Amino acid sequence: GDAKYAHLNQLERASHNLQLFKADLLDYDSLCSAISGCTGVFHVASPVPTTTVEVIEPAVKGTLNVLKACVEAKVKRVVVVSSRGAVAFNPRWPVGQIKDEACWSDKEHCAATKNWYCLSKTEAESEAFEFAKSSGLDVVTVCPSLILGPLLQPTINASSLALVRLLKGGFYFYLEFKVRMIVDVRDVAEALLLVYEKAEAEGRYICMAHLTNPRDLVDKLRSIFPQYDYPKRFIEGGEEDILSSEKLQRLGWSYRPLEETLVDSIESYKKAGILD
């Protein structure tokens, strides 16, 4: 009944195909009632206030609660949405070597740099695989990079905010805000469905489509939307690591052009009143 979720009831055939349950990741019983009767579960929820250690408990304990409820309901496969943040932050990985699913973010490094979101995603994903090993539950994870694309909801979310700030000017590219690895939300949805439906899917899958540096991204945006106030200068922050989605592509995944993602993102922000 919360207005926050009203947009979900406007989805196509929602009145026939959608049931909403009140649930809390830290309330095991509420998860059991939502998951009961399901053959598959997509666990996509995670708190995103990146500046506080408090994100860790709901991310880790919440994921384990979901998985335990799935065992109880005899779910056949669970797809857990992790993050590029659980892959990329590993100072011991060989310099210049493309990071694939074998690379895990270093938990001590994340804690030392107070990167609580990446620590929470790394902890949650690794705990999910440990639980799968001990319980026999079939768990597959997807690790997306920065997700852009049209919004379903009328409010801005954390990843889209990076693009909105860029369009509104006065936003410099510090290391932590670099828009480097981008994937469309619709392509992420396709990836989740793919790893759920393909029997041979196993383990982790990096989900990243486009690698772009800040200057090239601004040039592309300015050529399509010249009316916005783009940054005049950039603060260099060193090179970012490169991730590979080759494993996901071998499973049959493909992605749309970056220009389509940017145009559809910005048009949806305008429609929602987030941008003029």
Side-chain angles (χ1 to χ4, degrees), residues 208-224:
M208 190 276 291
H210 302 286
L211 184 71
T212 180
N213 67 55
R215 292 180 193 278
D216 289 346
L217 181 61
V218 166
D219 288 344
K220 181 179 281 291
L221 285 165
R222 188 181 282 119
S223 70
I224 310 167

Side-chain angles (χ1 to χ4, degrees), residues 57-69:
E57 187 192 11
V60 179
K61 188 178 177 183
T63 296
L64 290 175
N65 279 343
V66 169
L67 298 181
K68 288 171 186 172

Side-chain angles (χ1 to χ4, degrees), residues 18-273:
L18 180 67
Q19 278 183 278
L20 299 179
F21 293 81
K22 186 171 183 177
D24 184 319
L25 287 174
L26 299 181
D27 180 351
Y28 177 73
D29 290 337
S30 73
L31 294 173
C32 284
S33 65
I35 291 169
S36 177
C38 294
T39 53
V41 169
F42 296 84
H43 176 41
V44 300
S46 190
V48 191
T50 58
T51 57
T52 171
V53 72
E54 291 172 6
V55 300
I56 296 174
E57 187 192 11
V60 179
K61 188 178 177 183
T63 296
L64 290 175
N65 279 343
V66 169
L67 298 181
K68 288 171 186 172
C70 288
V71 168
E72 189 171 319
K74 296 182 171 53
V75 168
K76 290 180 181 176
R77 172 169 284 179
V78 185
V79 179
V80 175
V81 178
S82 184
S83 167
R84 159 195 171 269
V87 178
F89 295 91
N90 187 336
R92 293 195 295 273
W93 191 260
V95 176
Q97 183 174 322
I98 291 175
K99 291 179 175 174
D100 59 15
E101 286 78 7
C103 184
W104 284 83
S105 289
D106 184 275
K107 295 176 187 178
E108 290 181 3
H109 175 68
C110 290
T113 55
K114 292 184 167 51
N115 197 332
W116 306 123
Y117 176 71
C118 292
L119 178 59
S120 74
K121 297 302 282 188
T122 307
E123 290 271 18
E125 189 184 359
S126 58
E127 288 281 351
F129 282 123
E130 285 299 317
F131 182 85
K133 195 184 300 180
S134 63
S135 67
L137 184 65
D138 185 358
V139 174
V140 182
T141 68
V142 174
C143 303
S145 59
L146 181 75
I147 301 174
L148 298 177
L151 301 172
L152 282 181
Q153 78 282 1
T155 54
I156 195 73
N157 62 320
S159 54
S160 299
L161 185 59
L163 181 54
V164 170
R165 283 178 173 171
L166 177 59
L167 295 164
K168 289 190 171 182
F171 180 64
Y172 301 123
F173 282 92
Y174 294 95
L175 179 63
E176 62 267 36
F177 288 123
K178 277 187 176 176
V179 181
R180 284 289 183 111
M181 295 176 229
I182 297 171
V183 65
D184 192 292
V185 66
R186 295 163 291 188
D187 295 330
V188 176
E190 291 288 346
L192 299 184
L193 199 58
L194 186 69
V195 302
Y196 174 70
E197 292 182 337
K198 290 268 189 174
E200 65 270 31
E202 50 78 35
R204 328 171 74 193
Y205 289 88
I206 293 169
C207 185
M208 190 276 291
H210 302 286
L211 184 71
T212 180
N213 67 55
R215 292 180 193 278
D216 289 346
L217 181 61
V218 166
D219 288 344
K220 181 179 281 291
L221 285 165
R222 188 181 282 119
S223 70
I224 310 167
F225 299 99
Q227 70 270 35
Y228 292 109
D229 182 21
Y230 297 98
K232 308 285 189 295
R233 69 187 182 96
F234 301 89
I235 295 175
E236 298 300 326
E239 290 302 308
E240 247 187 43
D241 302 308
I242 300 175
L243 274 60
S244 169
S245 291
E246 186 182 335
K247 183 185 177 188
L248 187 57
Q249 288 173 285
R250 286 200 304 269
L251 201 63
W253 184 69
S254 60
Y255 51 85
R256 66 201 67 220
L258 177 58
E259 184 170 315
E260 182 180 341
T261 298
L262 296 174
V263 169
D264 290 354
S265 298
I266 292 167
E267 291 300 335
S268 85
Y269 304 159
K270 287 158 71 174
K271 185 177 178 183

